[in-house]
Amino acid sequence: MKANDVRAKTLDELRTELEALKKEQFNLRFQKATGQLENTGRFRQIRRDIARIQTIMRDKRMTATA
């Protein structure tokens, strides 16, 4: 997910995307615990996407209040 794609979304869209990523992260943890995880690089990608969305959401809230 590119930062420009994330910036183009509204706050509501970002919240739903963030929720979906957190659910996927939770499921990946279970897959890892049971030995079913195939793509270990997806952990890193999801963590970074979550951080990117949270950063842009915070930026949008700060600019809205300013």
Side-chain angles (χ1 to χ4, degrees):
M1 181 179 305
K2 298 283 185 177
N4 289 334
D5 299 336
V6 176
R7 282 192 180 95
K9 295 183 179 185
T10 65
L11 279 175
D12 290 332
E13 293 172 333
L14 290 175
R15 281 188 197 103
T16 58
E17 182 73 25
L18 183 63
E19 183 179 320
L21 285 171
K22 287 188 176 189
K23 284 181 183 180
E24 185 176 355
Q25 185 181 37
F26 181 77
N27 290 332
L28 285 176
R29 271 189 256 139
F30 269 98
Q31 288 178 8
K32 183 179 180 188
T34 59
Q36 297 174 347
L37 184 63
E38 295 176 7
N39 185 4
T40 57
R42 186 76 176 128
F43 268 119
R44 181 178 181 184
Q45 187 179 7
I46 289 177
R47 260 197 341 262
R48 288 181 178 199
D49 285 346
I50 288 172
R52 186 175 293 121
I53 288 174
Q54 288 176 337
T55 301
I56 292 174
M57 284 176 67
R58 181 180 179 277
D59 185 44
K60 285 187 177 210
R61 284 191 297 250
M62 296 298 283
T63 57
T65 59

